[in-house]
Amino acid sequence: WKDYVANKYRLQFEAQSKPFHERMMTLMERNEAEALSSAEYLEQSRALQQELETAEMALIERLTRSELTIGAA
């Protein structure tokens, strides 16, 4: 179901994930510039990944409810 929703609403998923990807790029740039230690980079990248996963799960839930409402109509 997750794949179905992600495929059907791909543009919404892309729009939602764009800021996370931009933040990850900034984090990578800071790491490459040695502005972060390896431990800081790993900690922050894991936290960012968790934020993205949480946001995606919320979007899936919202879209699933929408699909169920449409299906029940």
Side-chain angles (χ1 to χ4, degrees):
W1 177 254
K2 177 183 174 182
D3 291 337
Y4 168 78
V5 173
N7 216 8
K8 182 173 182 180
Y9 298 98
R10 181 175 36 91
L11 294 178
Q12 290 181 19
F13 279 89
E14 288 174 1
Q16 177 176 280
S17 68
K18 185 177 179 180
F20 290 98
H21 293 293
E22 290 170 352
R23 289 170 56 199
M24 182 56 81
M25 290 299 296
T26 300
L27 189 60
M28 290 171 64
E29 289 168 0
R30 291 182 63 211
N31 184 53
E32 290 171 2
E34 298 181 4
L36 296 172
S37 69
S38 294
E40 289 172 319
Y41 173 75
L42 287 174
E43 180 183 333
Q44 291 181 28
S45 63
R46 286 180 182 146
L48 189 55
Q49 181 63 33
Q50 183 62 42
E51 284 182 51
L52 176 58
E53 289 173 11
T54 300
E56 285 180 345
M57 292 306 295
L59 182 57
I60 289 168
E61 184 176 331
R62 190 173 80 243
L63 293 172
T64 297
R65 289 175 193 229
S66 176
E67 285 287 317
L68 291 172
T69 301
I70 292 169

